[in-house]
Amino acid sequence: MSGLGSAYSQKAYAYVTRRAEGDDQLLVFRERDDPRAGVQVPKGGIDRGETPGVAVRRELREESGLVHDSPVFHLASDRWRRSDGKRVARHFFHVPVEEPRDEWAHEVTGGGEDDGLTYDLSWRALPLSNGLAKGMHAYVPLLDR
């Protein structure tokens, strides 16, 4: 995965799923103070020396409060250019969980740019009827495999 180049910032994305009420569901969030940021999934930067699989678990904990020690499954990696021109190497993981809460608020930790923000988390039925912000939905169809 490191072959995607150092000119790209590295990010890990978590497609967190659960089965509830007979549906497969995807964990999403909205930034409480900036609804214009859209509906997103937990994600964030990969620290120097950190593998994408370790980073996705850390980001999940920091952005949702969920601690996941079970396996995560790499779905895809790509190169993506944001609307501001920044280049990102994205690594997407499937993270199946058993989570009883239907929705909750979490204050982001970890010291990054979103530290202290409040995320309102909830579940969306799969397949998604609407996309996610910033092209984050690109590999959601791979969850059906």
Side-chain angles (χ1 to χ4, degrees):
M1 284 187 239
S2 61
L4 292 177
S6 60
Y8 290 79
S9 65
Q10 302 283 320
K11 298 228 180 236
Y13 294 73
Y15 287 157
V16 181
T17 62
R18 74 171 185 178
R19 183 116 177 119
E21 301 172 15
D23 291 320
D24 290 322
Q25 300 176 335
L26 178 69
L27 182 66
V28 298
F29 71 84
R30 284 191 175 272
E31 292 182 32
R32 182 172 287 175
D33 294 331
D34 187 8
R36 294 172 293 128
V39 177
Q40 303 179 48
V41 296
K43 80 322 186 172
I46 299 171
D47 295 337
R48 183 174 300 277
E50 188 175 47
T51 67
V54 168
V56 78
R57 285 185 181 90
R58 177 182 50 75
E59 288 295 338
L60 179 60
R61 183 179 62 255
E62 291 174 1
E63 295 195 354
S64 72
L66 294 177
V67 176
H68 186 76
D69 295 324
S70 298
V72 297
F73 305 95
H74 179 253
L75 294 172
S77 293
D78 68 12
R79 297 178 191 186
W80 188 69
R81 188 177 296 267
R82 296 180 357 179
S83 60
D84 64 4
K86 186 174 181 181
R87 297 179 297 180
V88 180
R90 306 184 306 173
H91 307 280
F92 290 83
F93 290 85
H94 180 204
V95 183
V97 300
E98 292 183 22
E99 173 57 48
R101 294 175 291 180
D102 291 327
E103 55 186 45
W104 67 97
H106 178 75
E107 185 175 314
V108 178
T109 63
E113 63 186 37
D114 53 358
D115 191 61
L117 296 177
T118 300
Y119 288 172
D120 291 315
L121 295 114
S122 60
W123 300 93
R124 292 258 173 105
L126 290 170
L128 294 176
S129 56
N130 295 316
L132 301 169
K134 304 172 187 171
M136 292 181 199
H137 54 276
Y139 300 103
V140 169
L142 295 179
L143 295 171
D144 291 335
R145 296 161 119 203

